[in-house]
């Protein structure tokens, strides 16, 4: 007889009932955070949007790295005649499960996107700028889903796969803009640093974007295609990898220059700390990049490198927003602490 068998039925029922009540209570809290939002809950939903968009970019890379890119060989169905994985001679159950699982994550991203739209349209006062940024999320998910179908139908053509990842980068940028703007007011932007430093920040964003594009070219040339049937870019892998490394050094140098300029001009501490975090993330990403190169790009390290690229992108965007202010968010809900105008 097990311990569970010895537990009185009433105690088991009470325990399961308490757990059910907790789940229902959490679900109601989650619903009300979007349906009856405060400025703070709007910002939390925006942060969740940043996280899920970064997450699905990484899991999408995991699909490719495990050779599961065509685990579901059709779209929108997983296999011919079935929306869920079914026995298929050309694809293993594991590959099918990985690809189908990534497709299911799209619904999580969509749910968060819808919650963002609901929250920003119901919060008082309604801010048109936030509404526009929030609507980018569900529209972007729809575009990504349709593009994902094109990726499958082109048998993982490296161009379509690369654009698929870059769409995710754009979605992260829109979600982070919603997160940053929801924590500040609607006053005209006011620089918190010297004009030239602010300009350097914008140039750094452009440089990181170029770095990401170079990274997807390296990925599209390298060995992890996602499936044996997938094509590759016809570039020399060593040449594109070296070009990518050169751009990395340019970005790291610009980040160091930004960090130095913020320090010598006694810029706000938040901006300096943000630049220091970005610099640290870039150095960690660089170590992973060089290690994976000399170890013949093992799949695990490539996955970590993709995660690092999303973190570099987010940290870069964060620094830019920390170098300006639009004033405090108003009005504040009763009992809430004032959100710092520049605290992102």
């Amino acid at each position: 007889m097990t311990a569970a068998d010895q537990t009185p039925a009433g105690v088991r029922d009470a325990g399961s009932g308490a757990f059910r009540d907790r789940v229902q209570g959490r679900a109601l809290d989650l619903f009300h955070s979007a349906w009856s939002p405060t400025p703070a809950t709007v910002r939390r939903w925006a942060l969740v949007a940043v996280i899920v968009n970064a997450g699905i970019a990484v899991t999408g890379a995991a699909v490719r790295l495990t050779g599961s890119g065509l685990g579901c060989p059709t779209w929108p169905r997983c296999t011919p005649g079935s929306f869920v994985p079914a026995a298929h001679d050309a694809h293993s159950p594991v590959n099918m499960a990985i690809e189908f699982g990534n497709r299911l994550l799209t619904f999580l991203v969509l749910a968060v996107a819808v919650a963002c739209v609901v929250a920003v349209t119901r919060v008082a006062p309604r801010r048109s700028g936030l509404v526009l940024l929030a609507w980018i999320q569900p529209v972007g998910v729809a575009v990504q889903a349709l593009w994902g179908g094109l990726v499958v139908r082109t048998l993982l053509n490296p161009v379509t796969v690369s654009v698929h990842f870059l769409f995710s980068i754009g979605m992260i940028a829109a979600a982070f803009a919603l997160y940053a703007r929801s924590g500040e007011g609607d006053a005209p932007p006011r620089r918190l640093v010297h004009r030239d430093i602010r300009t350097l920040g914008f140039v750094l964003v452009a440089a990181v974007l170029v770095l990401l594009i170079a990274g997807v070219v390296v990925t599209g040339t390298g060995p992890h295609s996602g499936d044996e049937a997938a094509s590759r870019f016809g570039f020399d892998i060593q040449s594109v990898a070296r070009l990518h490394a050169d751009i990395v050094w340019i970005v790291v140098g610009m980040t160091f220059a930004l960090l130095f300029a913020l320090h010598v001009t006694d810029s706000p501490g938040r901006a300096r700390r943000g630049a220091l975090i970005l610099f640290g993330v870039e150095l960690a990403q660089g170590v992973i990049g060089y290690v994976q190169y000399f170890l013949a790009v093992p799949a695990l390290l490539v996955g970590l490198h993709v995660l690092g690229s999303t973190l570099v992108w987010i940290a870069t965007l964060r620094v830019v927003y920390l170098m300006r202010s639009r004033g405090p968010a108003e009005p504040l809900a009763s009992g809430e602490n004032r959100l710092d105008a520049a605290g992102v």
Side-chain angles (χ1 to χ4, degrees):
M1 180 179 292
T2 64
D5 294 331
Q6 296 175 351
T7 303
V11 175
R12 292 199 302 269
D13 292 343
S16 62
F19 175 75
R20 184 170 58 251
D21 290 342
R22 286 197 299 270
V23 172
Q24 291 176 348
R26 293 290 179 86
L28 284 174
D29 290 342
L30 201 61
F31 171 78
H32 287 302
S33 69
W35 190 253
S36 304
T38 66
T41 58
V42 168
R43 198 170 193 224
R44 291 191 196 110
W45 276 114
L47 177 59
V48 174
V50 175
I51 294 171
V52 296
N53 276 289
I56 201 167
V58 175
T59 59
V63 170
R64 176 174 50 80
L65 294 170
T66 56
S68 306
L70 293 177
C72 287
T74 63
W75 188 95
R77 292 180 171 86
C78 181
T79 56
S82 175
F83 283 97
V84 298
H88 196 282
D89 294 338
H91 302 279
S92 74
V94 173
N95 292 144
M96 295 177 71
I98 293 173
E99 165 61 6
F100 184 70
N102 191 64
R103 290 190 183 188
L104 289 180
L105 286 177
T106 302
F107 293 99
L108 173 62
V109 181
L110 178 60
V112 173
V114 171
C116 287
V117 172
V118 172
V120 300
T121 53
R122 291 186 58 82
V123 72
R126 183 171 175 173
R127 300 168 61 187
S128 58
L130 296 188
V131 173
L132 176 61
L133 287 171
W135 270 109
I136 293 176
Q137 295 303 306
V139 172
V141 172
V143 171
Q144 277 284 63
L146 293 173
W147 193 268
L150 181 62
V151 171
V152 173
R153 291 178 179 273
T154 58
L155 300 179
L156 307 184
N157 182 282
V159 174
T160 60
V161 173
S162 298
V163 174
H164 202 36
F165 177 77
L166 294 176
F167 273 150
S168 292
I169 292 300
M171 290 283 288
I172 292 171
F176 194 89
L178 177 62
Y179 171 70
R181 292 285 291 113
S182 61
E184 59 188 12
D186 292 319
R190 178 175 62 86
R191 288 186 291 103
L192 300 176
V193 299
H194 189 276
R195 178 186 60 192
D196 294 340
I197 298 177
R198 179 93 167 126
T199 300
L200 176 59
F202 288 131
V203 175
L204 179 59
V205 171
V208 172
L209 183 58
V210 171
L211 176 62
L212 294 173
I213 294 173
V216 297
V217 172
V218 174
T219 299
T221 308
H224 300 291
S225 62
D227 192 273
E228 294 179 357
S231 59
R232 302 273 77 196
F233 286 128
F235 305 120
D236 176 67
I237 184 61
Q238 290 189 347
S239 297
V240 293
R242 287 169 182 165
L243 175 62
H244 179 62
D246 291 341
I247 300 174
V248 167
W249 283 110
I250 292 173
V251 169
V252 171
M254 292 177 62
T255 304
F256 181 80
L258 177 65
L259 180 62
F260 182 77
L262 290 171
H263 179 75
V264 298
T265 57
D266 197 27
S267 296
R270 286 183 294 270
R272 282 180 282 151
R273 288 191 295 271
L276 182 61
I277 291 172
L278 171 60
F279 189 64
V281 173
E282 288 174 350
L283 291 181
Q285 175 75 334
V287 170
I288 295 173
Y290 275 105
V291 171
Q292 73 168 8
Y293 179 78
F294 289 113
L295 293 182
V297 289
L300 177 61
L301 288 181
V302 175
L304 290 176
H305 202 55
V306 173
L307 172 62
S309 68
T310 62
L311 295 178
V312 168
W313 180 235
I314 292 170
T316 304
L317 296 173
R318 181 172 182 266
V319 170
V320 172
Y321 280 103
L322 286 173
M323 292 193 292
R324 65 100 174 92
S325 172
R326 285 179 175 265
E330 297 289 353
L332 298 174
S334 176
E336 290 182 355
N337 294 324
R338 178 174 297 272
L339 292 174
D340 193 288
V344 179

